[in-house]
Amino acid sequence: MTSAASTRPSGHPSAATGQSATLHDDAAPTKEEAHLSRGQVVGHYVILERVGSGGMGVVYAAYDKALDRRVAIKLLHARRRPRHGKDDARLLREAQAMARLAHPNVVAVHEVGTFRERPFVAMEFVDGQTLSEWLEEKTRPWREVVAMLLQAGEGLAAAHAQGLIHRDFKPENVLVGHDGRARVVDFGLARASGDFSRDDLASVDEDISSQNSASIKLTETGALTGTPAYMGPEQFRGRTPDARSDQFAYCITLWEALFGERPFRGDTRARLAMAVCTGDIHEPAGRDVPTFLRRALRRGLSIDRDERFESMDLLLTAIDRDPVRSRRRIVAATAAAVGIAALSAGIARWSGSADAPCEGTEARIATAWNDDRQAAMDDAFQRVDAEFAAASFETVTRELDRYADDWSEGYRDACEAAHVRRDQSMALFDRRMACLDQRLSTLEATTALLADADRDAIAYSIRAVTALPPVDECADAERMMARFAPPDDPLVAKQVDTARARLAHASVLGLTGRAKEGLDEARAVRHQAEALAYLPLQAEAIFHQGVLAVSAGQPHESLALLHDAVDEAIASGHDEVLVGATTRLMSVVGVSLSRYEEAERWGRMASAALRRRGQDPSDTIPLARNLCMMLADKGDITAALTHCREALRLSIEHHGEEHAVTSLAYRALGNAYYWGADFERAEEAYELSTKLFLQSHGLDHPEYPALLNSLAAVCYSQKKGDSCIPLFEQTVEAAVKGYGADHPATADFTNNLAIVLLDHGRLDEAEARSLESLELRRAQFGDDHPGVGAAHRVLARVAHARGKHEQAREHADKAVQILEATRGKQHLDVQAALSTRARIRTAAGDPAGGIEDLRAALAIAEGLERAPVELAELRFELAKALFDHREEDRAQARAMAAAAEGEAAGNELAAKIADWRATAIKAPDPAP
């Protein structure tokens, strides 16, 4: 947890918050327990700073080395040990009590241990402030105050459901995280119900009486602060407290939060006790708080415990007049009051079944996926006369069936957790249901579009269904409670739900080949979100615009939108959007625009956001795959392969070995191997990717050209001669048919064909194809794009082959200039461009310039740790240039190094170098 220590001087009375009982700085440590300093190790935790001290111990912020997280460490005071271990036992009971409360509104305990014979507890670190500090920040409307205290009340209710009571509930023992979530802290006085003795009560009195002026101070109204100010009459009378004592303290806390003062006054403990025990409530004035809320608080403050609410759940129901939440909480509260039989009856009125309160799942999922919808899809797919339509239908229906089953299971579990097992709060139930409703909307939009799909939509149908948001995220309690709160106004909340359904529809339009339509719809939702002034929805709308702009072939517009999405995600605390936007920015900036340094920054931000959000496969797989492709494109093969293998491992683990997502992972792995010149492994990965792709898509699918191009590139790199040309021609033909003649991918494949034609002496065809590629790329990206540089390199080689040295040099200079500016100076494409220019300069009578370029190209290859064969070829080329420049000794050394590398690689180059040395350079005489 954190404290005001980050913003206030450490000597301030409120400088420490939360995780010890009443904290006060005057409780100085004895000599034997000097405060721990930064860097000391407690168990596997590294101390970072002292947060504060209290009656039982000192609280530190620490770093958990094992799990890479920040924690709070509570270390028991050594000076209290003479009480025969009583406080050790209390600390242990605190840890055990909190550990049993796996609830989003209770601070989690991670571990109990011993340090220098002093017990410690490692707890969740909450980045936030106490409820008192939250209230002091600004004047808050009563609805906002109630909403925050409702969360804390859910934490208390969860404790009571486990048979535990707190006994020390007060504003200082409620933390408000920067995520907007309240957590109850410091169960140091917690006990199981009925587990109290006179010794326990005496120890409480001792703790109270030992507090001095720093922990019990006078306010302007003369009221006491500290533990006594929140005690019920039964505690002042020395009677055993129970859950209704927590209810009393809770009502005092809420009263104080609403009215700015507590209901009972007294400038001494005796006078305060008198006011509490006689029910002398001071009437507040000047605050517009509804009558129903005042009435509920008065009942919770009854002198007689039997006149208070039967449970915290019923109290929370009474103070929460939100119609939806109240209806659900009434059901839960009824169960707490009258048992499981009444629970079943109560929920039956809500769900329609007395025997099974969580039935009705099938009816809800049927709104999105049912036999009629499947039959309509079948008709739509059969109308398309293509192999991929029939192949895709089987895959799509299988995926939709699986998703519907997952959704039904998630819905049933959420219902049973709140209404049957009662191990999750109603606040969590509401958020889980909101999450499930969003996924149901996306499923409904997807099946509705596919039921009336055309050829293009069917071509992308598998991508659409595999992109459905994961259902299991809705079962993650911590993630759900960390989400932003829904709008307070029910009308606004309903408009937000409608807008999100429209965004789901826009997203599916993009995934099924209608990105421009989706972009228009997302733009309209953005305007609606701005009018509603609900920041999370604005972030979602802008993010969807950015993603759809990428799909619509508008990379520059998408960049601006994704940047805006990052800003809005940070402003609204929307981690889901933050992960998605930064992941896509990394891909667009790195792969499409080759701005690697910027892309790596986005990649680091995406990784950090993912750690905070939680490692969900729906996020980790695309991030790992995009990192793989970006780093491979950059030329950092070692780093790329790490991410490629992780993407493949996660894909197989989460989706299975024969899934479409696994096919994408194999393709990315093949790219990395290819760029690393490991062509045999690249071919193997591409063939596996192609096999999986064809199983679900078919040969005539529009995405097939990309796989054809990969296999053609491997064929060429393995020097299989003109047998590769038909593969490249088929790739271009398929790209024109699948993507369109003016698509960037078509330009890439066309330039690849030009290279192969050039290598086989078909200069006119090569020049025509390369010019075609150049104009396509200029139209899309302008002159400053690596694709433009690649086309200039081919044109330079064509001119060089024709003996047009000046024209060849102009193209080569442009290629080097553009590629260095876009790819960076340490890139394979720059190496290739330098090698091309070196040959041109040498042929034009500038051997010194040619040697300069070859040395630069060799340095790049060595820096990138390219394969020995590639290094040997470059050294051999440099040796010949040096010889022509009459540097025979250096030529000899380079040739020998090249021969050794070629021979070690088992390449025929070694024999070629030996022949050249025998004829061009006199070999040194053998040693005698």
Side-chain angles (χ1 to χ4, degrees), residues 292-315:
F292 78 86
L293 192 52
R294 294 173 185 254
R295 186 183 305 118
L297 289 173
R298 285 184 170 279
R299 180 175 172 184
L301 294 172
S302 298
I303 301 174
D304 186 348
R305 279 185 282 191
D306 291 336
E307 293 179 5
R308 299 173 200 163
F309 292 94
E310 290 86 349
S311 68
M312 276 298 300
D313 276 314
L314 287 173
L315 168 61

PDB file of all heavy atoms in Angstrom, residues 292-315:
ATOM      1  N   PHE A 292     -34.190   8.614   3.252  1.00  0.00           N
ATOM      2  CA  PHE A 292     -34.018   7.162   3.367  1.00  0.00           C
ATOM      3  C   PHE A 292     -32.627   6.823   3.888  1.00  0.00           C
ATOM      4  O   PHE A 292     -32.447   5.853   4.633  1.00  0.00           O
ATOM      5  CB  PHE A 292     -34.269   6.479   2.016  1.00  0.00           C
ATOM      6  CG  PHE A 292     -33.133   6.578   1.030  1.00  0.00           C
ATOM      7  CD1 PHE A 292     -32.102   5.648   1.056  1.00  0.00           C
ATOM      8  CD2 PHE A 292     -33.093   7.595   0.072  1.00  0.00           C
ATOM      9  CE1 PHE A 292     -31.055   5.732   0.148  1.00  0.00           C
ATOM     10  CE2 PHE A 292     -32.056   7.682  -0.821  1.00  0.00           C
ATOM     11  CZ  PHE A 292     -31.033   6.755  -0.795  1.00  0.00           C
ATOM     12  N   LEU A 293     -31.651   7.631   3.528  1.00  0.00           N
ATOM     13  CA  LEU A 293     -30.276   7.370   3.955  1.00  0.00           C
ATOM     14  C   LEU A 293     -30.104   7.691   5.438  1.00  0.00           C
ATOM     15  O   LEU A 293     -29.493   6.922   6.196  1.00  0.00           O
ATOM     16  CB  LEU A 293     -29.312   8.199   3.101  1.00  0.00           C
ATOM     17  CG  LEU A 293     -27.828   7.878   3.182  1.00  0.00           C
ATOM     18  CD1 LEU A 293     -27.577   6.390   2.962  1.00  0.00           C
ATOM     19  CD2 LEU A 293     -27.068   8.686   2.138  1.00  0.00           C
ATOM     20  N   ARG A 294     -30.684   8.809   5.897  1.00  0.00           N
ATOM     21  CA  ARG A 294     -30.638   9.161   7.315  1.00  0.00           C
ATOM     22  C   ARG A 294     -31.328   8.078   8.154  1.00  0.00           C
ATOM     23  O   ARG A 294     -30.847   7.701   9.227  1.00  0.00           O
ATOM     24  CB  ARG A 294     -31.319  10.510   7.554  1.00  0.00           C
ATOM     25  CG  ARG A 294     -30.594  11.703   6.914  1.00  0.00           C
ATOM     26  CD  ARG A 294     -31.442  12.958   7.052  1.00  0.00           C
ATOM     27  NE  ARG A 294     -30.858  14.104   6.372  1.00  0.00           N
ATOM     28  CZ  ARG A 294     -30.273  15.130   6.980  1.00  0.00           C
ATOM     29  NH1 ARG A 294     -30.195  15.155   8.300  1.00  0.00           N
ATOM     30  NH2 ARG A 294     -29.775  16.132   6.298  1.00  0.00           N
ATOM     31  N   ARG A 295     -32.467   7.580   7.620  1.00  0.00           N
ATOM     32  CA  ARG A 295     -33.227   6.575   8.363  1.00  0.00           C
ATOM     33  C   ARG A 295     -32.401   5.293   8.506  1.00  0.00           C
ATOM     34  O   ARG A 295     -32.354   4.673   9.578  1.00  0.00           O
ATOM     35  CB  ARG A 295     -34.532   6.285   7.629  1.00  0.00           C
ATOM     36  CG  ARG A 295     -35.478   5.360   8.400  1.00  0.00           C
ATOM     37  CD  ARG A 295     -36.730   5.047   7.601  1.00  0.00           C
ATOM     38  NE  ARG A 295     -37.414   6.263   7.184  1.00  0.00           N
ATOM     39  CZ  ARG A 295     -37.609   6.625   5.917  1.00  0.00           C
ATOM     40  NH1 ARG A 295     -37.171   5.854   4.945  1.00  0.00           N
ATOM     41  NH2 ARG A 295     -38.244   7.740   5.616  1.00  0.00           N
ATOM     42  N   ALA A 296     -31.719   4.889   7.432  1.00  0.00           N
ATOM     43  CA  ALA A 296     -30.908   3.677   7.477  1.00  0.00           C
ATOM     44  C   ALA A 296     -29.763   3.827   8.470  1.00  0.00           C
ATOM     45  O   ALA A 296     -29.454   2.906   9.246  1.00  0.00           O
ATOM     46  CB  ALA A 296     -30.370   3.347   6.087  1.00  0.00           C
ATOM     47  N   LEU A 297     -29.127   5.002   8.478  1.00  0.00           N
ATOM     48  CA  LEU A 297     -28.008   5.231   9.394  1.00  0.00           C
ATOM     49  C   LEU A 297     -28.485   5.198  10.847  1.00  0.00           C
ATOM     50  O   LEU A 297     -27.799   4.635  11.721  1.00  0.00           O
ATOM     51  CB  LEU A 297     -27.339   6.563   9.077  1.00  0.00           C
ATOM     52  CG  LEU A 297     -26.526   6.608   7.777  1.00  0.00           C
ATOM     53  CD1 LEU A 297     -26.049   8.022   7.482  1.00  0.00           C
ATOM     54  CD2 LEU A 297     -25.344   5.664   7.858  1.00  0.00           C
ATOM     55  N   ARG A 298     -29.629   5.789  11.116  1.00  0.00           N
ATOM     56  CA  ARG A 298     -30.145   5.791  12.484  1.00  0.00           C
ATOM     57  C   ARG A 298     -30.421   4.359  12.969  1.00  0.00           C
ATOM     58  O   ARG A 298     -30.152   4.031  14.124  1.00  0.00           O
ATOM     59  CB  ARG A 298     -31.418   6.632  12.574  1.00  0.00           C
ATOM     60  CG  ARG A 298     -31.153   8.126  12.536  1.00  0.00           C
ATOM     61  CD  ARG A 298     -32.427   8.914  12.729  1.00  0.00           C
ATOM     62  NE  ARG A 298     -32.119  10.316  12.918  1.00  0.00           N
ATOM     63  CZ  ARG A 298     -31.725  10.871  14.053  1.00  0.00           C
ATOM     64  NH1 ARG A 298     -31.565  10.094  15.117  1.00  0.00           N
ATOM     65  NH2 ARG A 298     -31.458  12.151  14.143  1.00  0.00           N
ATOM     66  N   ARG A 299     -30.939   3.536  12.073  1.00  0.00           N
ATOM     67  CA  ARG A 299     -31.190   2.158  12.487  1.00  0.00           C
ATOM     68  C   ARG A 299     -29.865   1.436  12.763  1.00  0.00           C
ATOM     69  O   ARG A 299     -29.747   0.679  13.735  1.00  0.00           O
ATOM     70  CB  ARG A 299     -31.986   1.417  11.417  1.00  0.00           C
ATOM     71  CG  ARG A 299     -32.273  -0.032  11.813  1.00  0.00           C
ATOM     72  CD  ARG A 299     -33.155  -0.740  10.807  1.00  0.00           C
ATOM     73  NE  ARG A 299     -33.254  -2.164  11.118  1.00  0.00           N
ATOM     74  CZ  ARG A 299     -33.895  -3.048  10.376  1.00  0.00           C
ATOM     75  NH1 ARG A 299     -34.518  -2.648   9.264  1.00  0.00           N
ATOM     76  NH2 ARG A 299     -33.927  -4.315  10.737  1.00  0.00           N
ATOM     77  N   GLY A 300     -28.869   1.670  11.938  1.00  0.00           N
ATOM     78  CA  GLY A 300     -27.573   1.047  12.149  1.00  0.00           C
ATOM     79  C   GLY A 300     -26.883   1.521  13.410  1.00  0.00           C
ATOM     80  O   GLY A 300     -25.977   0.847  13.924  1.00  0.00           O
ATOM     81  N   LEU A 301     -27.328   2.684  13.945  1.00  0.00           N
ATOM     82  CA  LEU A 301     -26.738   3.250  15.162  1.00  0.00           C
ATOM     83  C   LEU A 301     -27.607   2.984  16.397  1.00  0.00           C
ATOM     84  O   LEU A 301     -27.430   3.636  17.427  1.00  0.00           O
ATOM     85  CB  LEU A 301     -26.538   4.758  14.981  1.00  0.00           C
ATOM     86  CG  LEU A 301     -25.498   5.164  13.924  1.00  0.00           C
ATOM     87  CD1 LEU A 301     -25.531   6.674  13.697  1.00  0.00           C
ATOM     88  CD2 LEU A 301     -24.098   4.717  14.331  1.00  0.00           C
ATOM     89  N   SER A 302     -28.507   2.038  16.282  1.00  0.00           N
ATOM     90  CA  SER A 302     -29.376   1.723  17.426  1.00  0.00           C
ATOM     91  C   SER A 302     -28.536   1.248  18.614  1.00  0.00           C
ATOM     92  O   SER A 302     -27.551   0.520  18.453  1.00  0.00           O
ATOM     93  CB  SER A 302     -30.378   0.630  17.047  1.00  0.00           C
ATOM     94  OG  SER A 302     -31.223   1.072  16.004  1.00  0.00           O
ATOM     95  N   ILE A 303     -28.982   1.644  19.846  1.00  0.00           N
ATOM     96  CA  ILE A 303     -28.280   1.208  21.056  1.00  0.00           C
ATOM     97  C   ILE A 303     -28.385  -0.298  21.206  1.00  0.00           C
ATOM     98  O   ILE A 303     -27.412  -0.992  21.534  1.00  0.00           O
ATOM     99  CB  ILE A 303     -28.876   1.907  22.298  1.00  0.00           C
ATOM    100  CG1 ILE A 303     -28.761   3.424  22.156  1.00  0.00           C
ATOM    101  CG2 ILE A 303     -28.191   1.427  23.564  1.00  0.00           C
ATOM    102  CD1 ILE A 303     -29.471   4.174  23.276  1.00  0.00           C
ATOM    103  N   ASP A 304     -29.556  -0.815  20.964  1.00  0.00           N
ATOM    104  CA  ASP A 304     -29.805  -2.247  21.078  1.00  0.00           C
ATOM    105  C   ASP A 304     -29.369  -2.923  19.779  1.00  0.00           C
ATOM    106  O   ASP A 304     -29.884  -2.617  18.698  1.00  0.00           O
ATOM    107  CB  ASP A 304     -31.294  -2.488  21.329  1.00  0.00           C
ATOM    108  CG  ASP A 304     -31.608  -3.961  21.604  1.00  0.00           C
ATOM    109  OD1 ASP A 304     -30.726  -4.826  21.374  1.00  0.00           O
ATOM    110  OD2 ASP A 304     -32.733  -4.230  22.051  1.00  0.00           O
ATOM    111  N   ARG A 305     -28.450  -3.869  19.880  1.00  0.00           N
ATOM    112  CA  ARG A 305     -27.955  -4.520  18.675  1.00  0.00           C
ATOM    113  C   ARG A 305     -29.064  -5.221  17.898  1.00  0.00           C
ATOM    114  O   ARG A 305     -29.027  -5.282  16.673  1.00  0.00           O
ATOM    115  CB  ARG A 305     -26.860  -5.536  19.046  1.00  0.00           C
ATOM    116  CG  ARG A 305     -25.511  -4.886  19.258  1.00  0.00           C
ATOM    117  CD  ARG A 305     -24.430  -5.913  19.494  1.00  0.00           C
ATOM    118  NE  ARG A 305     -24.457  -6.441  20.854  1.00  0.00           N
ATOM    119  CZ  ARG A 305     -23.485  -7.193  21.366  1.00  0.00           C
ATOM    120  NH1 ARG A 305     -22.443  -7.516  20.624  1.00  0.00           N
ATOM    121  NH2 ARG A 305     -23.553  -7.626  22.606  1.00  0.00           N
ATOM    122  N   ASP A 306     -30.063  -5.728  18.610  1.00  0.00           N
ATOM    123  CA  ASP A 306     -31.141  -6.447  17.940  1.00  0.00           C
ATOM    124  C   ASP A 306     -31.988  -5.536  17.071  1.00  0.00           C
ATOM    125  O   ASP A 306     -32.733  -6.014  16.196  1.00  0.00           O
ATOM    126  CB  ASP A 306     -32.025  -7.154  18.962  1.00  0.00           C
ATOM    127  CG  ASP A 306     -31.300  -8.296  19.641  1.00  0.00           C
ATOM    128  OD1 ASP A 306     -30.329  -8.830  19.054  1.00  0.00           O
ATOM    129  OD2 ASP A 306     -31.701  -8.652  20.777  1.00  0.00           O
ATOM    130  N   GLU A 307     -31.905  -4.224  17.308  1.00  0.00           N
ATOM    131  CA  GLU A 307     -32.687  -3.282  16.505  1.00  0.00           C
ATOM    132  C   GLU A 307     -31.935  -2.820  15.258  1.00  0.00           C
ATOM    133  O   GLU A 307     -32.505  -2.142  14.407  1.00  0.00           O
ATOM    134  CB  GLU A 307     -33.068  -2.068  17.364  1.00  0.00           C
ATOM    135  CG  GLU A 307     -34.047  -2.419  18.479  1.00  0.00           C
ATOM    136  CD  GLU A 307     -34.401  -1.219  19.337  1.00  0.00           C
ATOM    137  OE1 GLU A 307     -33.946  -0.090  18.982  1.00  0.00           O
ATOM    138  OE2 GLU A 307     -35.120  -1.384  20.329  1.00  0.00           O
ATOM    139  N   ARG A 308     -30.666  -3.168  15.182  1.00  0.00           N
ATOM    140  CA  ARG A 308     -29.909  -2.849  13.965  1.00  0.00           C
ATOM    141  C   ARG A 308     -30.284  -3.837  12.857  1.00  0.00           C
ATOM    142  O   ARG A 308     -31.080  -4.752  13.063  1.00  0.00           O
ATOM    143  CB  ARG A 308     -28.401  -2.905  14.255  1.00  0.00           C
ATOM    144  CG  ARG A 308     -27.943  -1.914  15.309  1.00  0.00           C
ATOM    145  CD  ARG A 308     -26.488  -2.115  15.695  1.00  0.00           C
ATOM    146  NE  ARG A 308     -26.210  -1.505  16.998  1.00  0.00           N
ATOM    147  CZ  ARG A 308     -25.153  -1.774  17.740  1.00  0.00           C
ATOM    148  NH1 ARG A 308     -24.237  -2.656  17.302  1.00  0.00           N
ATOM    149  NH2 ARG A 308     -24.982  -1.168  18.912  1.00  0.00           N
ATOM    150  N   PHE A 309     -29.698  -3.665  11.698  1.00  0.00           N
ATOM    151  CA  PHE A 309     -29.969  -4.574  10.580  1.00  0.00           C
ATOM    152  C   PHE A 309     -29.425  -5.965  10.900  1.00  0.00           C
ATOM    153  O   PHE A 309     -28.400  -6.110  11.571  1.00  0.00           O
ATOM    154  CB  PHE A 309     -29.329  -4.047   9.293  1.00  0.00           C
ATOM    155  CG  PHE A 309     -29.967  -2.781   8.784  1.00  0.00           C
ATOM    156  CD1 PHE A 309     -29.455  -1.537   9.130  1.00  0.00           C
ATOM    157  CD2 PHE A 309     -31.074  -2.837   7.956  1.00  0.00           C
ATOM    158  CE1 PHE A 309     -30.034  -0.370   8.669  1.00  0.00           C
ATOM    159  CE2 PHE A 309     -31.665  -1.675   7.483  1.00  0.00           C
ATOM    160  CZ  PHE A 309     -31.146  -0.441   7.841  1.00  0.00           C
ATOM    161  N   GLU A 310     -30.108  -6.970  10.400  1.00  0.00           N
ATOM    162  CA  GLU A 310     -29.679  -8.345  10.671  1.00  0.00           C
ATOM    163  C   GLU A 310     -28.307  -8.658  10.086  1.00  0.00           C
ATOM    164  O   GLU A 310     -27.616  -9.563  10.551  1.00  0.00           O
ATOM    165  CB  GLU A 310     -30.702  -9.343  10.111  1.00  0.00           C
ATOM    166  CG  GLU A 310     -32.029  -9.364  10.847  1.00  0.00           C
ATOM    167  CD  GLU A 310     -32.991  -8.315  10.318  1.00  0.00           C
ATOM    168  OE1 GLU A 310     -32.551  -7.445   9.534  1.00  0.00           O
ATOM    169  OE2 GLU A 310     -34.175  -8.357  10.696  1.00  0.00           O
ATOM    170  N   SER A 311     -27.908  -7.920   9.052  1.00  0.00           N
ATOM    171  CA  SER A 311     -26.617  -8.186   8.402  1.00  0.00           C
ATOM    172  C   SER A 311     -26.143  -6.927   7.689  1.00  0.00           C
ATOM    173  O   SER A 311     -26.913  -5.994   7.439  1.00  0.00           O
ATOM    174  CB  SER A 311     -26.752  -9.321   7.382  1.00  0.00           C
ATOM    175  OG  SER A 311     -27.556  -8.889   6.286  1.00  0.00           O
ATOM    176  N   MET A 312     -24.860  -6.943   7.329  1.00  0.00           N
ATOM    177  CA  MET A 312     -24.312  -5.836   6.543  1.00  0.00           C
ATOM    178  C   MET A 312     -24.998  -5.758   5.183  1.00  0.00           C
ATOM    179  O   MET A 312     -25.206  -4.671   4.649  1.00  0.00           O
ATOM    180  CB  MET A 312     -22.805  -6.015   6.355  1.00  0.00           C
ATOM    181  CG  MET A 312     -21.939  -5.511   7.488  1.00  0.00           C
ATOM    182  SD  MET A 312     -22.079  -3.709   7.771  1.00  0.00           S
ATOM    183  CE  MET A 312     -21.533  -3.047   6.192  1.00  0.00           C
ATOM    184  N   ASP A 313     -25.314  -6.914   4.609  1.00  0.00           N
ATOM    185  CA  ASP A 313     -25.969  -6.903   3.301  1.00  0.00           C
ATOM    186  C   ASP A 313     -27.283  -6.122   3.335  1.00  0.00           C
ATOM    187  O   ASP A 313     -27.599  -5.350   2.419  1.00  0.00           O
ATOM    188  CB  ASP A 313     -26.236  -8.332   2.822  1.00  0.00           C
ATOM    189  CG  ASP A 313     -25.026  -8.943   2.152  1.00  0.00           C
ATOM    190  OD1 ASP A 313     -24.411  -8.247   1.314  1.00  0.00           O
ATOM    191  OD2 ASP A 313     -24.702 -10.101   2.448  1.00  0.00           O
ATOM    192  N   LEU A 314     -28.085  -6.319   4.401  1.00  0.00           N
ATOM    193  CA  LEU A 314     -29.346  -5.595   4.502  1.00  0.00           C
ATOM    194  C   LEU A 314     -29.122  -4.108   4.742  1.00  0.00           C
ATOM    195  O   LEU A 314     -29.863  -3.262   4.228  1.00  0.00           O
ATOM    196  CB  LEU A 314     -30.202  -6.201   5.613  1.00  0.00           C
ATOM    197  CG  LEU A 314     -30.828  -7.557   5.284  1.00  0.00           C
ATOM    198  CD1 LEU A 314     -31.509  -8.144   6.505  1.00  0.00           C
ATOM    199  CD2 LEU A 314     -31.818  -7.417   4.129  1.00  0.00           C
ATOM    200  N   LEU A 315     -28.086  -3.773   5.501  1.00  0.00           N
ATOM    201  CA  LEU A 315     -27.744  -2.365   5.682  1.00  0.00           C
ATOM    202  C   LEU A 315     -27.352  -1.742   4.340  1.00  0.00           C
ATOM    203  O   LEU A 315     -27.810  -0.641   3.990  1.00  0.00           O
ATOM    204  CB  LEU A 315     -26.593  -2.232   6.687  1.00  0.00           C
ATOM    205  CG  LEU A 315     -25.933  -0.844   6.767  1.00  0.00           C
ATOM    206  CD1 LEU A 315     -26.936   0.225   7.183  1.00  0.00           C
ATOM    207  CD2 LEU A 315     -24.749  -0.878   7.731  1.00  0.00           C
TER     208      LEU A 315
END
